[in-house]
Amino acid sequence: MSYTIDLSGRVAFITGASSGLGAQFARTLARAGAAVVLTARRVEKLKGLRAQIEGEGGDAHVIALDVTDVDSIKSAVAHAETEVGSIDILVNNAGVSTTQRVQDVSEEDFDYIFDTNAKGAFFVAQEVGKRMLARAQGSAPGTYTGGRIINVASMAGLRALPQIGVYAMSKAAVVQMTKALALEWGRFGINVNALCPGYIDTEINHHHWSTEQGQKLMNMLPRRRVGKPEDLDALVVLLSSAQSHFVNGAVIAADDGFAI
Ligand code: NAD
């Protein structure tokens, strides 16, 4: 006996797909059968990923998006729906971080992080959510197949860590945003959940692991290891699927036990 999740016929919109977790989420959802819309600012990188996904027999589309620009969000979502179809799955993944002590954070640093991680994630979810709501309300009772929004927060949104205070604050905002959206949209068949990864080796932190501080941090982790992007594959597929219809407003840590 086996258990499978099939996302064929579903359209997934992934932000920050040009590297790291976003690129991996896109590859994984495409392998599960979804048509994936790859969005980020670095279009050339997205084209490379599209070629890779198409090479594996997947269906991928590239659209430029800067999540700090609400007009860019509106036009990318509209473009995706025209070119590919109604969005069933949103992976709200784009994010940035800086490292400094809280007393050294400038207004510019603060805005940089909050504009992307909190404000950007909110308006992407709002734009996609509005369209999901319209579909839910326009469908005959019981026929809407459901929307899925996965907000990529962080275990730093659950536990404060030194030198990334503002990042942690922005991800705590994503956690609470997830609950607020889940509360208002759940009854329309739109499930909104937060994924809180622990340390995963990607572009955002790759330089850090070879430094003395990075090594020290790794030794503090419960199993003294940093994750790989593919460690989140199963969760992202599950949260994107119809099978997760009973999971709404959940905040799921995938951090090898670090937030305990
Ligand atoms: P990454 O730097 O490789 O990916 C971040 C992506 O977001 C990039 O593709 C980047 O271009 C994109 N992005 C940044 N600003 C953007 C903007 N204004 N508009 C559109 N796209 C933008 O890092 P990652 O580790 O893959 O991070 C992905 C998400 O996972 C982020 O939200 C991050 O905070 C979160 N996260 C990462 C870790 C980790 O250890 N790697 C842990 C917890 C949470």
Side-chain angles (χ1 to χ4, degrees):
M1 206 171 100
S2 66
Y3 189 86
T4 52
I5 289 178
D6 183 5
L7 300 179
S8 300
R10 312 286 279 170
V11 174
F13 185 98
I14 299 120
T15 70
S18 56
S19 63
L21 300 185
Q24 181 63 21
F25 293 146
R27 278 188 289 266
T28 302
L29 294 177
R31 283 174 193 146
V36 292
V37 182
L38 313 172
T39 72
R41 293 161 304 178
R42 294 174 294 177
V43 168
E44 284 314 309
K45 283 210 157 210
L46 296 177
K47 287 181 181 166
L49 178 61
R50 177 178 63 192
Q52 200 186 349
I53 291 171
E54 286 176 347
E56 291 184 8
D59 181 5
H61 305 259
V62 167
I63 295 178
L65 167 65
D66 180 349
V67 303
T68 64
D69 174 349
V70 175
D71 288 338
S72 171
I73 294 171
K74 288 185 181 193
S75 83
V77 171
H79 183 169
E81 294 222 330
T82 311
E83 185 181 321
V84 192
S86 299
I87 298 167
D88 303 292
I89 301 157
L90 164 65
V91 186
N92 210 355
N93 164 78
V96 293
S97 181
T98 61
T99 308
Q100 74 264 90
R101 296 172 302 179
V102 282
Q103 63 268 38
D104 298 326
V105 174
S106 65
E107 185 179 1
E108 199 182 22
D109 297 325
F110 187 99
D111 287 345
Y112 170 65
I113 295 177
F114 264 77
D115 282 353
T116 305
N117 297 6
K119 184 179 169 192
F122 177 79
F123 283 104
V124 172
Q126 188 198 57
E127 191 59 26
V128 173
K130 275 191 213 169
R131 289 161 184 268
M132 288 176 171
L133 282 172
R135 283 170 75 198
Q137 287 165 333
S139 303
T143 61
Y144 179 54
T145 49
R148 295 286 179 270
I149 297 179
I150 302 164
N151 293 320
V152 181
S154 169
M155 52 85 187
L158 308 173
R159 170 187 172 165
L161 293 162
Q163 308 245 16
I164 53 167
V166 178
Y167 175 78
M169 289 159 61
S170 74
K171 292 300 189 176
V174 173
V175 167
Q176 196 64 354
M177 172 182 104
T178 299
K179 295 179 189 177
L181 301 181
L183 183 68
E184 291 196 29
W185 293 349
R187 67 198 168 93
F188 299 101
I190 302 163
N191 290 27
V192 189
N193 294 294
L195 182 55
C196 296
Y199 286 109
I200 312 272
D201 186 2
T202 66
E203 218 171 88
I204 212 170
N205 55 26
H206 184 68
H207 59 281
H208 192 57
W209 303 118
S210 50
T211 65
E212 198 188 320
Q213 260 195 335
Q215 288 289 315
K216 236 194 213 159
L217 176 57
M218 207 185 298
N219 282 326
M220 278 169 50
L221 302 177
R223 292 196 260 207
R224 294 189 164 76
R225 64 181 185 184
V226 173
K228 299 186 287 302
E230 52 271 33
D231 291 335
L232 305 174
D233 286 358
L235 271 177
V236 83
V237 172
L238 176 70
L239 294 176
S240 298
S241 71
Q243 284 94 325
S244 64
H245 67 94
F246 210 61
V247 183
N248 189 31
V251 178
I252 303 175
D255 64 355
D256 215 24
F258 188 51
I260 297 169

